[in-house]
Structures are given as structure tokens and as C-alpha cells.
Amino acid sequence: MNIIIKDSAADASAAVADVLLRQLAHKPGSVLGLPTGGTPLGVYANVRQAHEQGRASFASATTFNLDEYIGLPAEDPASYAHYMRENLFAHVNIDLDRAHIPSGMAEDPSIEAARYEALIAAHGGIDLMLLGLGRNAHIGFNEPGSAHDSRTRRVSLTPSTIEANAGYFEPGARQPSHAITMGIGTILECRKIVVLATGLEKAEAVAASVNGPSSEDVPGSALIWHPDTTFVLDRAAARHIERAKIRELEA
Ligand code: GLP
């Protein structure tokens, strides 16, 4: 596991955008795993700018989003499908047939989850997965207690996650209690993983994920087992990482 600590959230976002841009330059037909949430907004802004300046092409790329709320149609402003259109897909030259997001409106979410899992496998797996981290260290919507070998599936959201994400919903809008998420096992099969976490409210989740021990209570700690995971943090999010851990990684 690598840890990169930047002075600011803006610098951390730029560093993660750079990883994505280098991946596309190195392999234009890359399969990318993409997150949503407030944290990656700066990454997508950097990528949009690079595309505008002719420094990034998604013409041959395929993307798989991590998760989607059950019960929200793609047109709903709080859906992750809407988020991705607004923040990335509408602004770059991606073929929308190759920009995959689980359907939150599937009649049977378990069948949709199995279809999604099979689609990822049919594309030969994911080259680069970008991840955010929930305040309770969830990755995708894998809440504490998720098995480290879990696959794409329907999950219930914890009250703390529902509360943390309430701000993304219009006042009075119905907020879903379930989602379809890639599993932790699915995520661990991605060839390279980059986690972006910024701000003090993520410091405990980062520390529990990075310091270990690895446990199902801390979904982010599953990444300890992955051979090519990098945490990109700002100083606030890095605050509780053990000094020994940083020295060990610097050695
Ligand atoms: C949601 C998403 C996660 C994301 C998390 C953190 O729960 N399913 O993939 O990492 O929110 O969001 P934020 O970046 O807004 O703190």
C-alpha cells in the first residue's frame, strides 16, 4: 500500500486526476472504475479540463461505476447516473454505451447485480479503480460487516451513511435505503486502486483503513490485501495515520 499526502484537497484531486490521465494515455482502451460523492468532484473537474485542452480521450475507454441507489431512475438529480452525466460523461468523448452504471430501477436488483458482475468480467476486469471513502470507511456502498470477498449485490445503507448523504437530496425528497454496489471482492480484483480521501471528517476512516488490523468492521481495511493500492490524502485526512506507518512506507 502506498500513501501520498498532499497539502490540500485540490492538490490531492489533481494527483488522482493525473493517475487517470496517465492510465488513459498509456492504454486508451482502459477499463476504469469510477466513484461518486463530493470527494471526486475536483478529480472530474481536472479531467474535464484536460479533455477540453485535448489532453484526454475517452474514445476507446470503458467505465464501470461503483454503485447506484435502488429506486432512483437515471433522470433523478440524486441518482449516480445523473451525477456522472453532469460531472463527466456529458463533457467528454465517451461512448455512453460503454459507460456502465448499475440500474437502480431493475425489477430484480439481484439479477441486475449478477449482470453487472458478469459484464465487468466480460470486459476482462477493471484496470484502474478510483475510490472514495465513507466516514465509516465504507467503499462503494460496502458498509461495515461486508465480507471482504463479497460480490456485486443489493445492500442496505446504514443510518449514518443515509445521514451523511442526505445533503445530496432536495429537501423533502425520498432518500433510498438500499443500493446496488460492487462487492469488496469485486473491487479487490481491480488491477490498480487509488483511494482519494480529504478533510478531517475522513481522518478516522483513513486511519482505521491504513493502520489495520484488517477487519470486516472497516471495509477500507480490505485494501491492505491488494498489491497495488494508493491512498491519496490531504493533510487533514492523514492526521491520524500512525507515524510509524508513514515511516515504514517511506523506507
Ligand atoms: C457514497 C458513495 C461512496 C463514496 C461516499 C463518500 O456513499 N457510495 O462511493 O465514497 O459516498 O462520499 P463523499 O465523497 O461525499 O464524502
Side-chain angles (χ1 to χ4, degrees):
M1 178 183 287
N2 304 303
I3 300 178
I4 296 174
I5 302 172
K6 295 286 185 184
D7 283 337
S8 67
D11 289 350
S13 301
V16 172
D18 249 32
V19 175
L20 189 150
L21 297 176
R22 272 188 273 122
Q23 174 72 38
L24 279 178
H26 164 74
K27 183 179 173 187
S30 288
V31 180
L32 306 171
L34 299 177
T36 53
T39 312
L41 287 172
V43 176
Y44 293 135
N46 277 283
V47 172
R48 291 197 304 269
Q49 194 185 37
H51 181 262
E52 252 170 53
Q53 296 169 345
R55 292 187 287 118
S57 174
F58 285 79
S60 322
T62 298
T63 64
F64 284 95
N65 263 80
L66 269 170
D67 47 15
E68 179 60 285
Y69 287 111
I70 290 178
L72 293 192
E75 307 74 50
D76 190 296
S79 73
Y80 288 161
H82 186 270
Y83 172 106
M84 290 309 299
R85 274 201 308 282
E86 290 285 301
N87 291 298
L88 187 65
F89 297 155
H91 308 277
V92 296
N93 60 337
I94 193 160
D95 176 348
L96 289 177
D97 289 341
R98 286 210 293 264
H100 304 287
I101 304 182
S103 168
M105 295 304 284
E107 202 171 308
D108 184 335
S110 302
I111 294 177
E112 171 62 2
R115 180 194 71 85
Y116 203 67
E117 184 83 27
L119 198 59
I120 295 171
H123 281 82
I126 293 173
D127 294 308
L128 170 65
M129 178 88 234
L130 303 186
L131 289 179
L133 197 64
R135 290 180 211 179
N136 61 2
H138 71 241
I139 49 177
F141 267 133
N142 292 284
E143 298 280 29
S146 298
H148 288 183
D149 61 357
S150 54
R151 311 306 305 186
T152 304
R153 69 203 185 287
R154 173 186 187 271
V155 290
S156 321
L157 308 181
T158 62
S160 77
T161 294
I162 292 174
E163 191 193 319
N165 289 347
Y168 296 114
F169 290 79
E170 292 294 324
R174 196 188 62 83
Q175 196 180 342
S177 53
H178 292 79
I180 296 178
T181 183
M182 273 186 211
I184 296 182
T186 319
I187 292 170
L188 289 177
E189 282 171 10
C190 301
R191 287 184 269 285
K192 182 181 180 71
I193 299 176
V194 175
V195 187
L196 174 64
T198 55
L200 201 50
E201 76 267 20
K202 299 290 171 68
E204 296 291 346
V206 167
S209 300
V210 166
N211 294 336
S214 184
S215 110
E216 289 188 354
D217 295 338
V218 181
S221 70
L223 301 170
I224 288 171
W225 305 118
H226 188 269
D228 188 357
T229 287
T230 302
F231 277 74
V232 182
L233 310 169
D234 66 355
R235 292 209 174 277
R239 186 166 297 181
H240 301 312
I241 298 177
E242 288 163 11
R243 283 186 174 286
K245 192 69 177 179
I246 295 178
R247 271 202 298 274
E248 180 192 314
L249 289 160
E250 279 170 353

